[in-house]
Amino acid sequence: MTRYADIRKPIRSGIVVVDSQVGVPQRIIVLQFNPDTLERQVAPQAAGGEGDSGGGGSGGGDRNEALRLKGPAQETWKFTAEIDATDQLDVAAPEGIHPELAVLEMLVQPTTAQLLAASKLTKKGTIEISPIETPLTLFTWGSKRVMPVRLTELSVNESAFDVNLCPIRASLSIGLKVLTVSDLPAGHPGAALYLAHLAQKEQLARRARGGSLAQLGLGRGI
Protein backbone atom coordinates (compact mmCIF):
# COMPACT_ATOMS: atom_id res chain seq x y z
CA MET A 1 0.00 0.00 0.00
CA THR A 2 1.39 3.40 -1.02
CA ARG A 3 1.24 6.11 1.62
CA TYR A 4 0.96 9.79 0.76
CA ALA A 5 4.25 10.35 2.60
CA ASP A 6 5.95 7.98 0.13
CA ILE A 7 4.89 10.00 -2.94
CA ARG A 8 7.79 12.10 -4.13
CA LYS A 9 7.07 15.82 -4.26
CA PRO A 10 7.81 17.45 -7.62
CA ILE A 11 10.89 19.63 -7.89
CA ARG A 12 10.05 23.32 -8.20
CA SER A 13 11.46 25.65 -10.81
CA GLY A 14 12.88 28.93 -9.62
CA ILE A 15 15.32 31.81 -9.80
CA VAL A 16 18.54 32.18 -7.82
CA VAL A 17 20.11 35.61 -7.35
CA VAL A 18 23.88 35.28 -6.91
CA ASP A 19 26.52 37.76 -5.79
CA SER A 20 28.79 37.62 -8.83
CA GLN A 21 31.78 38.84 -6.80
CA VAL A 22 31.88 35.90 -4.39
CA GLY A 23 29.51 33.44 -6.07
CA VAL A 24 27.21 33.15 -3.06
CA PRO A 25 23.39 32.99 -3.48
CA GLN A 26 21.74 36.15 -2.12
CA ARG A 27 18.13 35.08 -2.62
CA ILE A 28 16.31 31.97 -3.81
CA ILE A 29 12.91 32.48 -5.47
CA VAL A 30 10.89 29.27 -5.67
CA LEU A 31 7.94 29.48 -8.06
CA GLN A 32 4.71 28.53 -6.28
CA PHE A 33 3.57 26.44 -9.26
CA ASN A 34 5.64 25.01 -12.08
CA PRO A 35 4.50 26.56 -15.39
CA ASP A 36 2.38 24.23 -17.53
CA THR A 37 4.24 25.14 -20.73
CA LEU A 38 7.58 26.60 -21.77
CA GLU A 39 8.29 28.46 -25.01
CA ARG A 40 11.93 28.25 -26.03
CA GLN A 41 13.66 29.76 -29.03
CA VAL A 42 17.20 28.86 -30.07
CA ALA A 43 18.67 31.09 -32.79
CA PRO A 44 22.03 30.04 -34.29
CA GLN A 45 24.73 32.70 -34.65
CA ALA A 46 25.80 32.08 -38.24
CA ALA A 47 29.16 33.49 -39.33
CA GLY A 48 27.99 34.56 -42.79
CA GLY A 49 24.90 36.41 -43.97
CA GLU A 50 21.71 34.83 -45.22
CA GLY A 51 21.72 33.09 -48.57
CA ASP A 52 24.65 32.54 -50.97
CA SER A 53 26.96 34.83 -52.91
CA GLY A 54 26.15 33.81 -56.44
CA GLY A 55 25.23 30.86 -58.60
CA GLY A 56 21.72 32.09 -59.17
CA GLY A 57 20.86 32.59 -55.50
CA SER A 58 19.27 35.69 -54.11
CA GLY A 59 21.28 36.01 -50.89
CA GLY A 60 24.35 38.05 -50.20
CA GLY A 61 26.22 35.81 -47.77
CA ASP A 62 29.66 34.25 -48.15
CA ARG A 63 29.27 30.63 -49.22
CA ASN A 64 32.55 29.76 -47.45
CA GLU A 65 30.88 30.70 -44.15
CA ALA A 66 27.63 28.78 -44.67
CA LEU A 67 28.48 26.03 -42.14
CA ARG A 68 30.36 28.19 -39.63
CA LEU A 69 29.14 29.56 -36.32
CA LYS A 70 30.53 32.73 -34.77
CA GLY A 71 29.38 31.92 -31.25
CA PRO A 72 26.83 30.17 -29.05
CA ALA A 73 23.20 30.15 -30.12
CA GLN A 74 20.98 32.85 -28.63
CA GLU A 75 18.39 31.12 -26.44
CA THR A 76 15.26 32.70 -24.97
CA TRP A 77 12.60 31.31 -22.66
CA LYS A 78 9.02 32.44 -22.06
CA PHE A 79 6.51 31.09 -19.57
CA THR A 80 3.62 32.10 -17.34
CA ALA A 81 4.00 31.89 -13.57
CA GLU A 82 1.05 31.86 -11.19
CA ILE A 83 0.97 33.26 -7.66
CA ASP A 84 -2.09 32.58 -5.48
CA ALA A 85 -2.27 33.46 -1.78
CA THR A 86 -5.53 31.51 -1.39
CA ASP A 87 -3.65 28.28 -2.17
CA GLN A 88 -1.54 28.67 0.98
CA LEU A 89 -4.03 29.72 3.63
CA ASP A 90 -1.81 28.27 6.36
CA VAL A 91 0.68 31.08 5.70
CA ALA A 92 -0.15 34.55 7.00
CA ALA A 93 -0.31 37.08 4.16
CA PRO A 94 -1.38 40.48 5.54
CA GLU A 95 0.10 42.16 2.43
CA GLY A 96 -1.30 39.64 -0.02
CA ILE A 97 1.24 38.71 -2.67
CA HIS A 98 2.84 42.17 -2.72
CA PRO A 99 6.16 40.76 -1.39
CA GLU A 100 6.30 37.98 -4.00
CA LEU A 101 5.61 40.44 -6.82
CA ALA A 102 8.11 42.96 -5.45
CA VAL A 103 10.97 40.46 -5.30
CA LEU A 104 10.46 39.60 -8.97
CA GLU A 105 10.19 43.26 -9.99
CA MET A 106 13.44 44.05 -8.18
CA LEU A 107 15.22 41.73 -10.60
CA VAL A 108 14.90 44.49 -13.20
CA GLN A 109 15.20 47.51 -10.90
CA PRO A 110 18.27 49.18 -9.41
CA THR A 111 18.11 49.64 -5.64
CA THR A 112 17.52 53.02 -4.00
CA ALA A 113 21.08 52.90 -2.65
CA GLN A 114 22.47 52.44 -6.17
CA LEU A 115 20.35 55.29 -7.53
CA LEU A 116 21.37 57.62 -4.70
CA ALA A 117 25.04 56.75 -5.24
CA ALA A 118 24.72 57.51 -8.96
CA SER A 119 22.99 60.80 -8.13
CA LYS A 120 25.86 61.82 -5.83
CA LEU A 121 28.38 61.12 -8.57
CA THR A 122 26.36 63.28 -10.95
CA LYS A 123 26.31 66.17 -8.48
CA LYS A 124 30.09 65.87 -8.07
CA GLY A 125 30.47 66.42 -11.79
CA THR A 126 31.63 62.92 -12.67
CA ILE A 127 32.05 62.90 -16.44
CA GLU A 128 30.99 59.31 -17.03
CA ILE A 129 28.91 57.07 -14.78
CA SER A 130 28.99 53.34 -15.48
CA PRO A 131 25.61 51.63 -15.84
CA ILE A 132 24.39 50.03 -12.64
CA GLU A 133 25.33 46.34 -12.45
CA THR A 134 22.74 43.88 -11.16
CA PRO A 135 23.50 40.58 -9.44
CA LEU A 136 23.87 37.41 -11.49
CA THR A 137 20.51 35.70 -12.01
CA LEU A 138 20.13 31.96 -12.58
CA PHE A 139 17.01 30.18 -13.81
CA THR A 140 16.61 26.57 -12.71
CA TRP A 141 14.33 23.99 -14.28
CA GLY A 142 15.45 20.82 -12.57
CA SER A 143 19.05 19.74 -12.09
CA LYS A 144 19.71 19.46 -15.84
CA ARG A 145 18.76 23.05 -16.66
CA VAL A 146 20.59 25.64 -14.58
CA MET A 147 21.59 28.67 -16.62
CA PRO A 148 22.56 32.34 -16.21
CA VAL A 149 19.83 34.61 -17.55
CA ARG A 150 18.72 38.20 -17.91
CA LEU A 151 15.06 39.04 -17.35
CA THR A 152 13.78 40.60 -20.59
CA GLU A 153 10.05 40.65 -19.94
CA LEU A 154 7.86 40.85 -16.86
CA SER A 155 4.15 41.41 -17.40
CA VAL A 156 1.88 41.16 -14.35
CA ASN A 157 -1.86 40.48 -14.48
CA GLU A 158 -3.40 40.88 -11.00
CA SER A 159 -6.81 39.21 -10.91
CA ALA A 160 -8.00 39.19 -7.27
CA PHE A 161 -7.61 41.48 -4.26
CA ASP A 162 -8.39 41.46 -0.55
CA VAL A 163 -10.36 44.12 1.35
CA ASN A 164 -7.24 46.29 1.58
CA LEU A 165 -6.71 46.06 -2.20
CA CYS A 166 -3.63 43.91 -1.75
CA PRO A 167 -3.32 41.53 -4.71
CA ILE A 168 -3.91 37.90 -3.74
CA ARG A 169 -3.78 36.28 -7.18
CA ALA A 170 -1.71 37.10 -10.26
CA SER A 171 -0.25 35.59 -13.39
CA LEU A 172 3.10 36.77 -14.67
CA SER A 173 4.44 36.51 -18.20
CA ILE A 174 8.19 36.12 -17.83
CA GLY A 175 10.77 36.29 -20.61
CA LEU A 176 14.40 35.29 -20.13
CA LYS A 177 17.52 35.48 -22.28
CA VAL A 178 20.18 32.89 -21.56
CA LEU A 179 23.53 34.65 -21.08
CA THR A 180 26.41 32.96 -22.92
CA VAL A 181 30.17 33.38 -22.87
CA SER A 182 29.65 35.98 -25.60
CA ASP A 183 27.54 38.11 -23.24
CA LEU A 184 29.71 37.95 -20.12
CA PRO A 185 33.28 39.09 -19.44
CA ALA A 186 36.06 36.52 -19.21
CA GLY A 187 36.32 35.01 -15.74
CA HIS A 188 32.74 35.90 -14.79
CA PRO A 189 31.09 33.08 -12.78
CA GLY A 190 28.10 33.26 -15.10
CA ALA A 191 30.33 32.27 -18.03
CA ALA A 192 31.43 29.13 -16.18
CA LEU A 193 27.80 28.30 -15.38
CA TYR A 194 26.84 28.70 -19.03
CA LEU A 195 29.63 26.32 -20.08
CA ALA A 196 28.34 23.79 -17.52
CA HIS A 197 24.83 24.22 -18.96
CA LEU A 198 26.14 23.64 -22.49
CA ALA A 199 28.15 20.60 -21.37
CA GLN A 200 24.96 19.15 -19.90
CA LYS A 201 23.27 19.54 -23.30
CA GLU A 202 26.18 17.74 -24.96
CA GLN A 203 25.87 14.82 -22.54
CA LEU A 204 22.12 14.54 -23.16
CA ALA A 205 22.65 14.68 -26.93
CA ARG A 206 25.07 11.75 -26.74
CA ARG A 207 22.41 9.67 -24.99
CA ALA A 208 19.86 10.14 -27.78
CA ARG A 209 19.31 7.05 -29.92
CA GLY A 210 20.47 7.49 -33.51
CA GLY A 211 18.50 6.44 -36.55
CA SER A 212 19.49 4.64 -39.71
CA LEU A 213 19.55 5.58 -43.39
CA ALA A 214 17.09 2.76 -44.06
CA GLN A 215 14.48 4.49 -41.91
CA LEU A 216 14.79 7.48 -44.24
CA GLY A 217 14.40 5.37 -47.36
CA LEU A 218 18.12 5.67 -48.10
CA GLY A 219 19.12 2.05 -47.58
CA ARG A 220 21.53 2.20 -50.51
CA GLY A 221 23.37 5.18 -49.04
CA ILE A 222 23.41 8.88 -49.72
Side-chain angles (χ1 to χ4, degrees):
M1 179 177 177
T2 303
R3 300 175 302 171
Y4 286 111
D6 297 329
I7 299 176
R8 184 180 177 185
K9 293 184 179 180
I11 293 175
R12 300 282 189 87
S13 55
I15 296 172
V16 182
V17 181
V18 179
D19 184 335
S20 58
Q21 299 297 322
V22 295
V24 176
Q26 292 180 322
R27 181 180 289 275
I28 299 173
I29 304 170
V30 179
L31 298 184
Q32 186 178 358
F33 307 104
N34 286 330
D36 293 328
T37 60
L38 292 172
E39 179 185 343
R40 298 172 53 233
Q41 292 186 349
V42 183
Q45 296 298 296
E50 296 294 332
D52 56 32
S53 59
S58 58
D62 184 350
R63 66 181 67 184
N64 295 321
E65 303 290 334
L67 299 180
R68 297 181 183 274
L69 297 174
K70 61 183 180 182
Q74 298 296 302
E75 184 175 356
T76 58
W77 291 54
K78 285 186 179 182
F79 59 89
T80 299
E82 305 285 343
I83 304 177
D84 190 346
T86 62
D87 189 68
Q88 44 189 6
L89 295 177
D90 56 327
V91 179
E95 298 172 317
I97 59 172
H98 268 312
E100 288 78 4
L101 294 177
V103 74
L104 288 169
E105 291 177 37
M106 286 308 299
L107 294 177
V108 294
Q109 292 273 19
T111 64
T112 53
Q114 289 173 322
L115 291 173
L116 289 172
S119 178
K120 288 181 180 178
L121 290 175
T122 302
K123 291 179 180 179
K124 289 180 180 179
T126 302
I127 297 176
E128 182 178 354
I129 301 176
S130 299
I132 296 172
E133 182 175 353
T134 61
L136 174 63
T137 304
L138 308 179
F139 178 64
T140 70
W141 186 270
S143 61
K144 292 180 173 56
R145 287 174 169 174
V146 180
M147 65 213 81
V149 297
R150 180 175 66 239
L151 205 67
T152 58
E153 176 186 338
L154 179 60
S155 177
V156 182
N157 182 12
E158 300 175 1
S159 56
F161 305 86
D162 64 14
V163 294
N164 295 316
L165 291 184
C166 293
I168 57 175
R169 186 184 304 125
S171 62
L172 301 91
S173 297
I174 297 177
L176 303 171
K177 179 186 182 299
V178 178
L179 299 177
T180 72
V181 291
S182 299
D183 301 310
L184 298 165
H188 194 283
L193 287 166
Y194 172 76
L195 289 176
H197 168 61
L198 187 59
Q200 180 70 63
K201 282 182 182 286
E202 294 170 357
Q203 292 180 11
L204 293 172
R206 285 193 289 268
R207 296 172 192 167
R209 290 183 296 177
S212 66
L213 290 176
Q215 290 175 300
L216 303 177
L218 302 172
R220 297 182 180 179
I222 299 177

